[in-house]
Amino acid sequence: MTYGDGEGGSQRRGSQRGSNDFAYALARMAVAQICEGVEISTLQDSHSREGARFSSFQESALERLTDVVIQYIQSVGKTTQFYANMAGRGEGNALDVVQALEDLGAGLGFNGAHDVERCLGDSGVVKDIVRYTGEAEEVPFVYSLPRFPFKKGKRRAPSFSGIGGEMADEHIPVWLPAFPETKSKEVEETNTEKVGEVKSKENGLSLPSMQQSLDVDRLKVQKSMEQEDVQEPGEEPEGNPFLAAPVWVREKDVPRVFCPSEPKNEEDSIGHVPEKQKNIPPLEAHAPPGMINDESRLGGTEDGQKTQRALLRFKIGTRKASMCWTIKQSLEDKETRGRRRWNAKRNSKPLTQM
Amino acid sequence: MNHGQQSGEAKHEDDAVLTEFLGSLMDYTPTIPDDLVEHYLAKSGFQCPDVRLIRLVAVATQKFVADVASDALQHCKARPAPVVKDKKQQKDKRLILTMEDLSKALREVSASSGGFDPHLSIYGVNVKHPEYFADSP
């Protein structure tokens, strides 16, 4: 296990610690405890045997040892998995572990390493470990660990069969998790009447129903859409903003764009605009046909709810066209004064106001 | 065939050591907590549902640490004590796990085992702290 770049120990530890602070601290404590229990018996002049132990440690030395221990564990795991995979197994075996420990030497060699045909069960490594457990005193870890690492219990969504509903669509198997419930279902009880209205008008097409949502309360239509979703899962998701119809604004909120040099003509023209409602300009001819049909529907059904919204007509065109439009109006008004002013300005400033 | 049978029996006997040990592992609680070992094993790719294997690794690791620590302790003890001529001074020396002793012990470990290389070539080359810093005059 070598790192590709020989970066400094502090850097490596920083990266190692950053994500594993908790694990590192635990490992450090465990290593310290083990070192504490290491004893060398020395035979003194007196008959009693004294055991020399570590009384303290250098901080950096302990950190180094902890790093080594962590790498040891990881290399054991890696080698074990390697041997398991070599044997064609997915999970490691006890013998894989023993073989990995043999690979790592488990210290200064072990008995029986020279024997090629040895049995892993009889490995010297195992015997060494057995001997160690027999000799060393058992020192349990100091702290009681919380469940580590923390696993948040994932509450799996119940399947369709768990909910108990049979799906109308056959292409969705019942063992799949069910669709999540939406908030609008809570409002379902209060607006059942309006939902019924909306649903009755739907032609079965999704587009008109969505266009109606602007005139009706948007929430109700969303609910109806969601109800459709429950019955026919697999259609468009609930409240998809990209499928919603564009917002239509009342015309009086939006001032008409004119050049500032024609104040009087503007007033007259704005006054004339509402009268021209029924003349649908070519721009609106591109609107979906359903929209125009809805216009008549709007007047018929939405009596008391909202006033009819005038359609916004965008003046898209060259300046020349608008000028022609205003000229036409002034001619219709038959005001000579306006006509004169307009003609005068037009002659004085040809095409500079663009 | 006899040889085969014998080897088969021998294998059973040999396995007995391992199986017995694995059985006794549940009585012995290693110092390194199981969760910690499991975490690091999983990090390197070895996920095992068997607790005994995890304890086996934990015990092996503990033995490894104990070996290294004992080597370091021997080095520490072997170093000549600072001579202070004082009659009242006790002979008890406070043994401290120093970087120097640790590096010597680890160097032995890394030299003997080919597979495990406690990285950081620091153990091979630049282990010692600089003993002094030379300032510019």
Side-chain angles (χ1 to χ4, degrees):
Chain A
M1 280 183 58
T2 56
Y3 292 87
D5 48 343
E7 54 185 10
S10 60
Q11 289 180 7
R12 180 193 53 81
R13 193 180 308 121
S15 63
Q16 197 178 36
R17 268 195 199 165
S19 56
N20 290 331
D21 278 344
F22 185 58
Y24 188 84
L26 290 180
R28 194 162 162 272
M29 272 193 284
V31 166
Q33 270 192 276
I34 297 172
C35 291
E36 203 180 14
V38 170
E39 184 181 345
I40 294 182
S41 60
T42 59
L43 191 60
Q44 295 278 325
D45 293 334
S46 60
H47 295 286
S48 62
R49 281 193 173 186
E50 290 182 3
R53 290 171 181 252
F54 279 120
S55 57
S56 59
F57 49 80
Q58 278 185 352
E59 185 113 5
S60 54
L62 185 66
E63 287 177 0
R64 285 301 152 108
L65 189 55
T66 310
D67 288 341
V68 170
V69 165
I70 290 174
Q71 285 191 51
Y72 183 84
I73 298 176
Q74 287 182 337
S75 60
V76 167
K78 184 178 161 189
T79 314
T80 305
Q81 190 67 15
F82 169 73
Y83 278 117
N85 292 339
M86 288 284 289
R89 281 178 275 110
E91 280 189 5
N93 219 354
L95 299 179
D96 293 329
V97 175
V98 171
Q99 207 164 1
L101 290 176
E102 283 189 359
D103 250 17
L104 297 182
L108 305 171
F110 55 94
N111 290 331
H114 63 278
D115 194 4
V116 178
E117 295 177 356
R118 69 187 180 281
C119 168
L120 281 176
D122 195 20
S123 167
V125 171
V126 181
K127 290 181 180 170
D128 283 345
I129 295 178
V130 173
R131 185 162 44 85
Y132 172 77
T133 54
E135 293 176 351
E137 57 189 52
E138 182 174 335
V139 181
F141 194 62
V142 187
Y143 296 109
S144 62
L145 288 181
R147 189 74 185 93
F148 173 83
F150 299 108
K151 291 178 186 173
K152 293 181 182 177
K154 285 186 182 177
R155 195 168 49 86
R156 296 187 176 270
S159 62
F160 282 123
S161 57
I163 284 183
E166 288 187 359
M167 310 314 302
D169 264 1
E170 295 177 348
H171 70 276
I172 296 183
V174 281
W175 49 263
L176 282 179
F179 286 108
E181 292 184 357
T182 55
K183 293 178 185 177
S184 61
K185 295 232 170 165
E186 301 169 354
V187 199
E188 182 180 334
E189 300 168 352
T190 60
N191 292 335
T192 50
E193 294 178 356
K194 295 180 181 176
V195 167
E197 278 183 9
V198 171
K199 282 186 75 175
S200 63
K201 286 157 202 163
E202 287 169 357
N203 303 328
L205 298 173
S206 58
L207 193 59
S209 69
M210 281 184 292
Q211 285 175 351
Q212 279 190 7
S213 70
L214 295 172
D215 306 319
V216 207
D217 196 3
R218 187 181 181 125
L219 184 64
K220 288 176 285 184
V221 178
Q222 271 190 355
K223 194 179 349 138
S224 68
M225 282 167 54
E226 289 148 8
Q227 283 185 353
E228 283 183 355
D229 283 340
V230 171
Q231 295 165 7
E232 306 175 55
E235 291 188 359
E236 71 270 358
E238 306 143 350
N240 193 346
F242 296 104
L243 295 178
V247 177
W248 295 93
V249 187
R250 296 186 186 187
E251 193 168 16
K252 61 184 177 185
D253 296 335
V254 179
R256 198 165 168 184
V257 178
F258 268 109
C259 52
S261 64
E262 307 165 6
K264 204 165 187 182
N265 287 335
E266 279 175 359
E267 292 172 8
D268 295 335
S269 57
I270 285 176
H272 281 286
V273 159
E275 297 174 6
K276 317 255 181 210
Q277 256 184 7
K278 296 183 182 173
N279 297 337
I280 300 176
L283 182 67
E284 286 182 349
H286 298 296
M291 196 62 220
I292 299 174
N293 293 335
D294 283 349
E295 246 183 289
S296 56
R297 262 195 234 171
L298 286 179
T301 59
E302 313 296 328
D303 285 330
Q305 294 188 359
K306 286 187 182 179
T307 58
Q308 286 190 12
R309 287 183 176 172
L311 299 173
L312 176 67
R313 286 197 295 274
F314 291 101
K315 279 288 175 185
I316 297 178
T318 61
R319 188 166 179 83
K320 208 172 178 183
S322 64
M323 282 163 58
C324 289
W325 179 258
T326 56
I327 290 171
K328 191 178 177 184
Q329 284 184 343
S330 62
L331 288 174
E332 289 174 358
D333 294 340
K334 295 184 180 177
E335 286 186 1
T336 56
R337 187 175 53 162
R339 194 192 308 169
R340 279 183 195 166
R341 189 196 294 177
W342 174 244
N343 286 331
K345 287 202 174 173
R346 195 180 164 210
N347 291 331
S348 63
K349 299 176 184 180
L351 300 180
T352 54
Q353 294 174 2
M354 296 178 72
Chain B
M1 293 300 293
N2 281 337
H3 179 67
Q5 285 179 1
Q6 283 180 3
S7 64
E9 288 175 357
K11 278 185 183 176
H12 281 300
E13 290 176 0
D14 291 339
D15 279 346
V17 177
L18 187 57
T19 47
E20 274 182 27
F21 178 62
L22 288 177
S24 68
L25 262 183
M26 299 315 294
D27 298 332
Y28 181 87
T29 307
T31 307
I32 307 177
D34 284 344
D35 287 338
L36 189 67
V37 176
E38 192 172 350
H39 170 69
Y40 281 118
L41 285 177
K43 200 175 171 193
S44 64
F46 175 54
Q47 270 180 323
C48 182
D50 197 356
V51 185
R52 299 177 300 174
L53 287 186
I54 295 171
R55 291 215 167 176
L56 178 63
V57 177
V59 171
T61 311
Q62 189 174 348
K63 179 177 174 300
F64 169 77
V65 175
D67 287 345
V68 170
S70 65
D71 284 348
L73 191 61
Q74 282 180 354
H75 284 118
C76 189
K77 250 188 137 5
R79 190 175 303 113
V83 180
V84 177
K85 296 178 181 178
D86 189 1
K87 294 181 181 179
K88 293 183 182 178
Q89 187 204 8
Q90 296 178 356
K91 282 194 176 179
D92 289 341
K93 189 173 70 170
R94 297 205 63 180
L95 299 171
I96 304 177
L97 174 64
T98 58
M99 194 63 129
E100 217 173 313
D101 302 330
L102 182 65
S103 65
K104 285 182 190 171
L106 282 170
R107 204 174 292 138
E108 287 182 12
V109 170
S110 61
S112 64
S113 66
F116 178 54
D117 178 19
H119 157 68
L120 329 162
S121 53
I122 60 167
Y123 289 122
V125 181
N126 289 332
V127 179
K128 281 165 72 174
H129 280 298
E131 306 209 354
Y132 60 90
F133 295 94
D135 290 333
S136 60

